[in-house]
């Protein structure tokens, strides 16, 4: 390590993918089962089907019991469109952190990864909630700052439900305004609900243990889904 070089993240290869330890102050605890490894990358970091189904609740069924659970899949693509890295991030129920600041914050994981690779042209996020901009989290502001720092990167955010935008939440107007502001950056930023066809993309790329999902079928579907997302049918 060069003198003065800062180690912000520690990554460990495990049988559940590469786990990332983002903050030195986060330790294992009994309140949050995921701590301190809220970011996982690689092929082995796939989420079990049961967890995916509970959190995303396709197509859009109510999951009131999981209101506090955030699950965000991400894919980083190069300028030529090839996948550089994929993985997922979860919120921290102990410290109350949202997933987006861990990824997009100054010195966050994507900041480090983007600098390290130098060829990231597109980031695709598929989350069970839209990003908020509440004072404690400032998720949208952090995404904004990230986009400002990396003007060559395009961002696609798909979400299955809106987070705290209903009348009655004190922060609803603030969150709605932040989402409108973010979506005004189109075409550089795409912000929309997950289309029905996205389930195939998510299952093929981020989920394991899918009932009745044979490897041969999975290979065919993966090709098909990548074709669909590359041709923006998923986005359009
Ligand atoms: Zn945690
Ligand atoms: Zn947030």
């Amino acid at each position: 390590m060069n003198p003065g070089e800062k180690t912000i993240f520690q990554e460990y290869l495990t049988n559940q993918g590469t786990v990332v330890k983002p903050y030195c102050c986060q330790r294992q605890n009994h309140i949050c089962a995921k701590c301190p490894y809220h970011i996982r990358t690689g092929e082995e970091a796939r989420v079990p089907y049961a967890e995916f189904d509970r959190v995303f609740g396709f197509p859009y069924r109510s999951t009131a019991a999981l209101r506090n659970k955030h699950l965000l899949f991400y894919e980083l693509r190069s300028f030529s469109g090839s996948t550089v890295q994929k993985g997922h991030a979860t919120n921290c129920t102990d410290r109350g952190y949202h997933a987006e600041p861990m990824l997009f914050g100054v010195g966050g994981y994507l900041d480090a990864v983007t600098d390290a690779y130098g060829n990231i042209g597109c980031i695709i996020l598929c989350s069970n909630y839209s990003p908020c901009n509440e004072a404690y989290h400032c998720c949208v502001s952090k995404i904004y700052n990230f986009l400002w720092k990396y003007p060559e990167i395009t961002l696609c955010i798909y979400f299955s439900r809106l987070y705290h935008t209903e009348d009655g939440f004190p922060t609803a107007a603030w969150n709605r305004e932040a989402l409108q502001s973010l979506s005004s950056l189109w075409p550089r930023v795409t912000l929309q609900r997950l289309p029905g066809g996205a389930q195939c993309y998510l299952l093929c790329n981020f989920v394991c243990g899918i009932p009745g999902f044979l490897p041969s079928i999975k290979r065919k579907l993966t090709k098909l889904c990548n074709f669909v997302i590359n041709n923006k049918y998923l986005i359009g």
Side-chain angles (χ1 to χ4, degrees):
M1 192 172 118
N2 297 327
E5 190 177 302
K6 248 188 346 185
T7 303
I8 303 171
F9 298 98
Q10 295 170 302
E11 300 192 1
Y12 306 92
L13 191 60
T14 73
N15 60 3
Q16 293 183 328
T18 300
V19 294
V20 181
K21 189 177 180 188
Y23 300 116
C24 56
C25 53
Q26 279 181 287
R27 308 226 183 286
Q28 279 184 308
N29 63 66
H30 297 298
I31 302 167
C32 175
K34 304 268 186 185
C35 257
Y37 307 112
H38 285 283
I39 302 172
R40 291 174 188 244
T41 72
E43 194 55 32
E44 290 76 24
R46 288 170 177 266
V47 169
Y49 178 77
E51 181 180 348
F52 166 76
D53 190 50
R54 265 202 316 275
V55 175
F56 274 82
F58 265 100
Y60 302 112
R61 72 178 138 78
S62 167
T63 50
L66 290 155
R67 219 168 262 282
N68 295 323
K69 172 111 180 155
H70 289 203
L71 176 59
L72 184 159
F73 297 113
Y74 72 87
E75 182 179 349
L76 312 179
R77 291 191 176 180
S78 68
F79 291 104
S80 63
S82 59
T83 301
V84 176
Q85 191 192 89
K86 60 179 183 169
H88 71 261
T90 49
N91 65 316
C92 180
T93 47
D94 175 33
R95 292 180 169 261
Y97 293 153
H98 282 180
E100 293 92 341
M102 295 186 216
L103 293 172
F104 290 96
V106 175
Y109 185 62
L110 292 185
D111 204 8
V113 169
T114 303
D115 278 341
Y117 282 101
N119 66 340
I120 308 294
C122 176
I123 298 173
I124 299 167
L125 301 184
C126 296
S127 174
N128 65 323
Y129 280 120
S130 59
C132 79
N133 211 31
E134 296 172 5
Y136 183 65
H137 307 289
C138 296
C139 297
V140 171
S141 295
K142 288 182 170 108
I143 291 171
Y144 248 106
N145 291 340
F146 180 89
L147 292 170
W148 183 260
K149 185 173 177 185
Y150 299 101
E152 70 283 6
I153 292 183
T154 57
L155 176 65
C156 303
I157 303 177
Y158 302 101
F159 56 90
S160 61
R161 55 184 71 80
L162 289 160
Y163 182 79
H164 288 185
T165 56
E166 307 94 317
D167 292 334
F169 279 108
T171 53
W174 186 249
N175 286 335
R176 282 199 297 255
E177 195 179 310
L179 290 176
Q180 274 164 8
S181 168
L182 193 58
S183 62
S184 73
L185 298 180
W186 189 88
R188 192 179 166 207
V189 174
T190 301
L191 178 69
Q192 67 172 64
R193 278 186 191 270
L194 272 165
Q199 184 176 20
C200 168
Y201 166 73
L202 294 177
L203 290 177
C204 290
N205 287 286
F206 301 104
V207 181
C208 64
I210 303 159
F213 213 49
L214 298 173
S216 58
I217 297 174
K218 189 184 133 196
R219 272 197 296 276
K220 278 184 195 161
L221 269 176
T222 303
K223 274 189 192 161
L224 180 69
C225 291
N226 284 339
F227 172 80
V228 168
I229 198 164
N230 280 331
N231 284 279
K232 296 191 185 285
Y233 293 134
L234 177 74
I235 298 165

